[in-house]
Short mmCIF file of all heavy atoms in Angstrom, two decimals:
data_model
loop_
_atom_site.label_atom_id
_atom_site.label_comp_id
_atom_site.label_asym_id
_atom_site.label_seq_id
_atom_site.Cartn_x
_atom_site.Cartn_y
_atom_site.Cartn_z
N ARG A 233 99.82 91.97 112.65
CA ARG A 233 99.60 93.40 112.44
C ARG A 233 100.39 94.23 113.45
O ARG A 233 100.91 95.28 113.11
CB ARG A 233 98.10 93.69 112.58
CG ARG A 233 97.66 94.97 111.98
CD ARG A 233 97.56 94.87 110.46
NE ARG A 233 96.88 96.05 109.92
CZ ARG A 233 97.54 97.13 109.49
NH1 ARG A 233 98.85 97.18 109.57
NH2 ARG A 233 96.87 98.17 109.03
N PHE A 257 109.93 91.59 98.55
CA PHE A 257 110.71 92.66 99.14
C PHE A 257 110.31 92.88 100.60
O PHE A 257 109.13 92.73 100.95
CB PHE A 257 110.48 93.98 98.38
CG PHE A 257 110.64 93.88 96.89
CD1 PHE A 257 109.61 93.43 96.08
CD2 PHE A 257 111.84 94.25 96.29
CE1 PHE A 257 109.76 93.33 94.71
CE2 PHE A 257 112.01 94.16 94.92
CZ PHE A 257 110.97 93.70 94.12
N TYR A 259 110.58 96.03 103.40
CA TYR A 259 110.89 97.44 103.67
C TYR A 259 110.59 97.74 105.13
O TYR A 259 109.77 97.08 105.77
CB TYR A 259 109.99 98.37 102.84
CG TYR A 259 110.15 98.30 101.35
CD1 TYR A 259 109.40 97.39 100.59
CD2 TYR A 259 111.02 99.15 100.68
CE1 TYR A 259 109.52 97.35 99.22
CE2 TYR A 259 111.15 99.11 99.30
CZ TYR A 259 110.38 98.20 98.58
OH TYR A 259 110.51 98.17 97.21
N GLN A 261 109.35 101.28 107.26
CA GLN A 261 108.84 102.62 107.04
C GLN A 261 108.90 103.40 108.34
O GLN A 261 108.30 102.99 109.34
CB GLN A 261 107.40 102.58 106.51
CG GLN A 261 106.84 103.95 106.20
CD GLN A 261 105.46 103.88 105.56
OE1 GLN A 261 104.72 102.91 105.72
NE2 GLN A 261 105.11 104.92 104.82
N GLY A 264 109.09 110.43 107.97
CA GLY A 264 110.07 111.32 107.36
C GLY A 264 111.15 110.64 106.56
O GLY A 264 111.98 111.31 105.93
N LEU A 265 111.16 109.31 106.56
CA LEU A 265 112.20 108.58 105.82
C LEU A 265 111.64 107.76 104.67
O LEU A 265 112.40 107.16 103.92
CB LEU A 265 112.97 107.67 106.78
CG LEU A 265 113.76 108.37 107.88
CD1 LEU A 265 114.42 107.35 108.79
CD2 LEU A 265 114.81 109.32 107.29
N GLY A 266 110.34 107.68 104.55
CA GLY A 266 109.76 106.89 103.48
C GLY A 266 109.96 105.41 103.70
O GLY A 266 110.10 104.94 104.83
N LEU A 267 109.98 104.68 102.62
CA LEU A 267 110.19 103.23 102.67
C LEU A 267 111.64 102.93 102.31
O LEU A 267 112.13 103.36 101.27
CB LEU A 267 109.27 102.52 101.67
CG LEU A 267 107.79 102.37 102.04
CD1 LEU A 267 107.05 103.68 101.91
CD2 LEU A 267 107.16 101.32 101.14
N LEU A 269 114.49 99.89 101.68
CA LEU A 269 114.57 98.48 101.33
C LEU A 269 115.58 97.76 102.22
O LEU A 269 116.74 98.16 102.29
CB LEU A 269 114.96 98.35 99.85
CG LEU A 269 115.05 96.95 99.28
CD1 LEU A 269 113.69 96.26 99.31
CD2 LEU A 269 115.58 97.01 97.85
N PHE A 272 115.70 91.89 99.38
CA PHE A 272 114.75 91.43 98.38
C PHE A 272 115.18 90.09 97.82
O PHE A 272 116.33 89.65 98.04
CB PHE A 272 114.55 92.47 97.27
CG PHE A 272 115.79 92.86 96.51
CD1 PHE A 272 116.05 92.33 95.26
CD2 PHE A 272 116.67 93.81 97.03
CE1 PHE A 272 117.17 92.73 94.54
CE2 PHE A 272 117.80 94.19 96.32
CZ PHE A 272 118.05 93.65 95.07
N TYR A 274 114.61 87.48 94.26
CA TYR A 274 114.08 87.30 92.93
C TYR A 274 113.81 85.84 92.58
O TYR A 274 113.41 85.53 91.47
CB TYR A 274 115.00 87.94 91.88
CG TYR A 274 114.83 89.43 91.83
CD1 TYR A 274 115.56 90.25 92.68
CD2 TYR A 274 113.91 90.03 90.99
CE1 TYR A 274 115.39 91.63 92.67
CE2 TYR A 274 113.74 91.41 90.96
CZ TYR A 274 114.48 92.20 91.80
OH TYR A 274 114.30 93.56 91.78
N MET A 278 117.05 82.61 96.97
CA MET A 278 117.91 83.68 96.52
C MET A 278 117.58 84.94 97.32
O MET A 278 116.42 85.19 97.64
CB MET A 278 117.68 83.92 95.03
CG MET A 278 118.41 85.11 94.47
SD MET A 278 117.42 86.57 94.60
CE MET A 278 118.61 87.79 94.05
N GLU A 280 119.03 89.22 98.10
CA GLU A 280 119.94 90.32 97.81
C GLU A 280 119.76 91.37 98.89
O GLU A 280 118.64 91.65 99.32
CB GLU A 280 119.62 90.96 96.45
CG GLU A 280 119.96 90.10 95.25
CD GLU A 280 121.45 90.06 94.97
OE1 GLU A 280 122.15 91.01 95.34
OE2 GLU A 280 121.91 89.06 94.36
N LYS A 281 120.86 91.97 99.32
CA LYS A 281 120.79 93.04 100.31
C LYS A 281 120.21 94.29 99.68
O LYS A 281 120.51 94.62 98.54
CB LYS A 281 122.19 93.33 100.86
CG LYS A 281 122.75 92.23 101.72
CD LYS A 281 124.12 92.60 102.25
CE LYS A 281 124.68 91.48 103.14
NZ LYS A 281 126.02 91.81 103.65
N ASP A 283 119.13 98.44 100.99
CA ASP A 283 119.88 99.61 101.43
C ASP A 283 120.23 99.58 102.92
O ASP A 283 121.19 100.23 103.35
CB ASP A 283 119.08 100.88 101.12
CG ASP A 283 118.84 101.01 99.62
OD1 ASP A 283 119.80 100.83 98.85
OD2 ASP A 283 117.69 101.28 99.22
N LEU A 314 107.01 96.47 106.05
CA LEU A 314 106.12 96.21 104.92
C LEU A 314 106.75 95.19 103.98
O LEU A 314 107.92 95.32 103.61
CB LEU A 314 105.84 97.49 104.15
CG LEU A 314 104.98 98.53 104.86
CD1 LEU A 314 105.14 99.90 104.22
CD2 LEU A 314 103.52 98.11 104.82
N THR A 321 110.19 90.38 85.64
CA THR A 321 111.54 90.85 85.94
C THR A 321 111.55 92.28 86.41
O THR A 321 112.60 92.86 86.62
CB THR A 321 112.43 90.74 84.69
OG1 THR A 321 111.81 91.51 83.64
CG2 THR A 321 112.55 89.30 84.25
N SER A 322 110.39 92.85 86.60
CA SER A 322 110.32 94.27 86.93
C SER A 322 110.11 94.49 88.42
O SER A 322 109.48 93.69 89.09
CB SER A 322 109.16 94.90 86.18
OG SER A 322 108.92 96.21 86.64
N ALA A 323 110.67 95.57 88.92
CA ALA A 323 110.41 95.95 90.30
C ALA A 323 109.20 96.87 90.38
O ALA A 323 108.83 97.29 91.46
CB ALA A 323 111.61 96.65 90.90
N ASP A 324 108.59 97.17 89.25
CA ASP A 324 107.45 98.06 89.26
C ASP A 324 106.20 97.36 89.73
O ASP A 324 106.16 96.15 89.84
CB ASP A 324 107.23 98.63 87.85
CG ASP A 324 108.43 99.40 87.37
OD1 ASP A 324 108.90 100.27 88.09
OD2 ASP A 324 108.90 99.09 86.27
N THR A 325 105.19 98.15 89.96
CA THR A 325 103.90 97.64 90.39
C THR A 325 104.06 96.62 91.51
O THR A 325 103.73 95.44 91.36
CB THR A 325 103.10 97.03 89.22
OG1 THR A 325 103.24 97.84 88.07
CG2 THR A 325 101.65 96.90 89.61
N GLN A 326 104.61 97.08 92.59
CA GLN A 326 104.73 96.23 93.76
C GLN A 326 103.42 96.24 94.53
O GLN A 326 102.78 97.27 94.68
CB GLN A 326 105.88 96.70 94.65
CG GLN A 326 107.24 96.52 93.98
CD GLN A 326 108.40 96.81 94.89
OE1 GLN A 326 108.24 96.97 96.09
NE2 GLN A 326 109.60 96.86 94.33
N PHE A 328 101.71 95.54 98.13
CA PHE A 328 102.15 95.55 99.51
C PHE A 328 101.19 94.82 100.44
O PHE A 328 99.96 94.83 100.23
CB PHE A 328 102.30 96.99 100.01
CG PHE A 328 103.53 97.68 99.49
CD1 PHE A 328 103.56 98.27 98.24
CD2 PHE A 328 104.69 97.74 100.27
CE1 PHE A 328 104.69 98.90 97.76
CE2 PHE A 328 105.83 98.36 99.81
CZ PHE A 328 105.83 98.94 98.55
N GLY A 329 101.74 94.24 101.47
CA GLY A 329 100.95 93.71 102.56
C GLY A 329 100.54 94.82 103.51
O GLY A 329 100.98 95.96 103.35
N PRO A 330 99.71 94.51 104.52
CA PRO A 330 99.19 95.54 105.42
C PRO A 330 100.21 96.07 106.42
O PRO A 330 99.97 97.10 107.04
CB PRO A 330 98.07 94.80 106.16
CG PRO A 330 98.47 93.37 106.10
CD PRO A 330 99.16 93.19 104.80
N GLN B 101 121.98 108.45 96.46
CA GLN B 101 120.71 108.40 95.78
C GLN B 101 119.69 109.12 96.63
O GLN B 101 119.57 108.86 97.83
CB GLN B 101 120.29 106.95 95.54
CG GLN B 101 121.40 106.11 94.92
CD GLN B 101 120.88 104.92 94.17
OE1 GLN B 101 120.47 105.01 93.03
NE2 GLN B 101 120.90 103.78 94.85
N GLY B 130 112.68 104.31 85.53
CA GLY B 130 111.34 104.87 85.50
C GLY B 130 110.93 105.42 86.85
O GLY B 130 111.61 105.21 87.86
N SER B 132 107.69 105.84 89.56
CA SER B 132 106.37 105.34 89.98
C SER B 132 105.81 106.23 91.07
O SER B 132 106.54 106.95 91.75
CB SER B 132 106.49 103.91 90.53
OG SER B 132 107.00 103.02 89.57
N TYR B 134 102.97 105.96 94.42
CA TYR B 134 102.17 105.11 95.29
C TYR B 134 101.38 105.99 96.24
O TYR B 134 101.83 107.05 96.65
CB TYR B 134 103.07 104.17 96.10
CG TYR B 134 103.61 103.00 95.30
CD1 TYR B 134 104.67 103.18 94.42
CD2 TYR B 134 103.05 101.74 95.41
CE1 TYR B 134 105.15 102.12 93.67
CE2 TYR B 134 103.53 100.66 94.66
CZ TYR B 134 104.58 100.87 93.79
OH TYR B 134 105.06 99.82 93.06
N GLN B 136 99.24 105.98 99.94
CA GLN B 136 99.08 105.25 101.20
C GLN B 136 98.17 106.04 102.14
O GLN B 136 98.51 107.13 102.58
CB GLN B 136 100.43 105.02 101.87
CG GLN B 136 100.35 104.15 103.13
CD GLN B 136 101.70 103.93 103.78
OE1 GLN B 136 102.57 104.79 103.71
NE2 GLN B 136 101.89 102.79 104.44
N GLY B 139 97.31 104.06 108.11
CA GLY B 139 97.02 102.71 108.58
C GLY B 139 96.91 101.67 107.48
O GLY B 139 96.67 100.49 107.75
N GLY B 140 97.08 102.12 106.23
CA GLY B 140 96.94 101.20 105.11
C GLY B 140 98.25 100.87 104.43
O GLY B 140 99.30 101.41 104.78
N ALA B 141 98.18 100.01 103.44
CA ALA B 141 99.35 99.63 102.66
C ALA B 141 99.51 100.56 101.48
O ALA B 141 98.52 101.06 100.93
CB ALA B 141 99.21 98.19 102.18
N PRO B 142 100.73 100.82 101.05
CA PRO B 142 100.92 101.58 99.80
C PRO B 142 100.29 100.85 98.63
O PRO B 142 100.39 99.62 98.53
CB PRO B 142 102.45 101.65 99.66
CG PRO B 142 102.98 101.40 101.03
CD PRO B 142 102.01 100.45 101.66
N THR B 143 99.65 101.61 97.75
CA THR B 143 99.08 101.02 96.54
C THR B 143 99.59 101.76 95.32
O THR B 143 99.73 102.99 95.34
CB THR B 143 97.53 101.06 96.56
OG1 THR B 143 97.11 102.40 96.74
CG2 THR B 143 96.98 100.20 97.67
N PHE B 144 99.85 101.02 94.28
CA PHE B 144 100.42 101.56 93.06
C PHE B 144 99.42 102.48 92.36
O PHE B 144 98.24 102.16 92.23
CB PHE B 144 100.80 100.41 92.13
CG PHE B 144 101.25 100.82 90.76
CD1 PHE B 144 102.53 101.28 90.54
CD2 PHE B 144 100.37 100.74 89.69
CE1 PHE B 144 102.94 101.65 89.27
CE2 PHE B 144 100.77 101.11 88.42
CZ PHE B 144 102.06 101.56 88.21
N TYR B 147 103.05 104.74 86.60
CA TYR B 147 104.46 104.54 86.25
C TYR B 147 104.75 105.30 84.96
O TYR B 147 103.99 105.23 84.00
CB TYR B 147 104.75 103.06 86.05
CG TYR B 147 106.13 102.76 85.52
CD1 TYR B 147 107.24 102.91 86.34
CD2 TYR B 147 106.32 102.34 84.20
CE1 TYR B 147 108.52 102.65 85.86
CE2 TYR B 147 107.60 102.07 83.72
CZ TYR B 147 108.70 102.21 84.55
OH TYR B 147 109.96 101.94 84.08
N PHE B 186 103.89 108.77 97.55
CA PHE B 186 105.32 108.51 97.45
C PHE B 186 105.73 108.40 95.99
O PHE B 186 105.08 107.68 95.21
CB PHE B 186 105.69 107.20 98.15
CG PHE B 186 105.46 107.19 99.62
CD1 PHE B 186 104.23 106.82 100.15
CD2 PHE B 186 106.47 107.55 100.50
CE1 PHE B 186 104.00 106.82 101.52
CE2 PHE B 186 106.26 107.55 101.87
CZ PHE B 186 105.03 107.18 102.38
N ARG B 190 112.72 103.52 89.84
CA ARG B 190 113.19 102.18 89.55
C ARG B 190 114.63 102.30 89.08
O ARG B 190 114.90 102.96 88.08
CB ARG B 190 112.31 101.54 88.48
CG ARG B 190 112.70 100.13 88.08
CD ARG B 190 111.79 99.64 86.98
NE ARG B 190 112.35 98.48 86.30
CZ ARG B 190 112.11 98.16 85.05
NH1 ARG B 190 111.30 98.90 84.33
NH2 ARG B 190 112.64 97.08 84.52
N SER B 193 120.29 97.60 90.54
CA SER B 193 120.93 97.20 91.79
C SER B 193 121.57 95.83 91.59
O SER B 193 120.88 94.81 91.67
CB SER B 193 119.92 97.18 92.92
OG SER B 193 120.49 96.64 94.12
N GLY B 194 122.87 95.82 91.34
CA GLY B 194 123.62 94.58 91.24
C GLY B 194 123.05 93.57 90.27
O GLY B 194 122.92 92.40 90.60
N TYR B 196 120.05 93.43 89.18
CA TYR B 196 118.60 93.43 89.29
C TYR B 196 118.15 94.89 89.31
O TYR B 196 118.91 95.79 89.01
CB TYR B 196 118.16 92.70 90.56
CG TYR B 196 118.65 91.28 90.59
CD1 TYR B 196 119.79 90.93 91.30
CD2 TYR B 196 117.97 90.28 89.91
CE1 TYR B 196 120.26 89.64 91.32
CE2 TYR B 196 118.43 88.96 89.94
CZ TYR B 196 119.57 88.67 90.64
OH TYR B 196 120.03 87.38 90.66
N ASN B 197 116.90 95.12 89.64
CA ASN B 197 116.48 96.49 89.85
C ASN B 197 115.58 96.57 91.06
O ASN B 197 115.02 95.56 91.52
CB ASN B 197 115.84 97.10 88.60
CG ASN B 197 114.66 96.33 88.10
OD1 ASN B 197 113.64 96.25 88.77
ND2 ASN B 197 114.77 95.73 86.93
N LYS B 198 115.48 97.75 91.62
CA LYS B 198 114.74 97.95 92.85
C LYS B 198 114.06 99.30 92.79
O LYS B 198 114.32 100.12 91.90
CB LYS B 198 115.68 97.89 94.05
CG LYS B 198 116.72 99.01 94.06
CD LYS B 198 117.62 98.93 95.28
CE LYS B 198 118.61 100.10 95.29
NZ LYS B 198 119.53 100.02 96.46
N LEU B 199 113.19 99.55 93.72
CA LEU B 199 112.55 100.84 93.86
C LEU B 199 113.19 101.61 95.01
O LEU B 199 113.41 101.06 96.09
CB LEU B 199 111.05 100.69 94.14
CG LEU B 199 110.17 100.20 92.98
CD1 LEU B 199 108.72 100.11 93.43
CD2 LEU B 199 110.29 101.13 91.78
N ILE B 200 113.48 102.87 94.75
CA ILE B 200 113.97 103.78 95.79
C ILE B 200 112.87 104.79 96.03
O ILE B 200 112.46 105.49 95.10
CB ILE B 200 115.25 104.50 95.33
CG1 ILE B 200 116.32 103.47 94.95
CG2 ILE B 200 115.77 105.41 96.44
CD1 ILE B 200 117.47 104.07 94.18
N PHE B 201 112.38 104.87 97.26
CA PHE B 201 111.22 105.69 97.57
C PHE B 201 111.64 107.05 98.13
O PHE B 201 112.62 107.17 98.87
CB PHE B 201 110.33 105.00 98.60
CG PHE B 201 109.50 103.89 98.03
CD1 PHE B 201 110.03 102.62 97.88
CD2 PHE B 201 108.19 104.12 97.65
CE1 PHE B 201 109.27 101.59 97.35
CE2 PHE B 201 107.42 103.09 97.12
CZ PHE B 201 107.96 101.82 96.97
N GLY B 202 110.83 108.06 97.81
CA GLY B 202 110.95 109.34 98.49
C GLY B 202 110.33 109.25 99.87
O GLY B 202 109.72 108.24 100.23
N ALA B 203 110.46 110.34 100.63
CA ALA B 203 109.96 110.34 102.01
C ALA B 203 108.45 110.48 102.09
O ALA B 203 107.87 110.27 103.16
CB ALA B 203 110.64 111.46 102.80
N GLY B 204 107.83 110.87 100.99
CA GLY B 204 106.37 110.96 100.97
C GLY B 204 105.85 112.36 101.14
O GLY B 204 106.48 113.20 101.82
#
Side-chain angles (χ1 to χ4, degrees):
Chain A
R233 199 77 169 93
F257 309 83
Y259 296 89
Q261 183 175 24
L265 296 177
L267 284 74
L269 182 63
F272 59 101
Y274 282 87
M278 174 271 173
E280 289 285 334
K281 291 181 179 179
D283 299 314
L314 290 162
T321 57
S322 170
D324 300 309
T325 319
Q326 293 188 10
F328 284 83
Chain B
Q101 310 204 82
S132 300
Y134 284 77
Q136 185 180 31
T143 56
F144 173 79
Y147 173 73
F186 296 88
R190 180 182 163 208
S193 173
Y196 301 98
N197 57 66
K198 64 179 183 182
L199 289 180
I200 304 166
F201 284 84

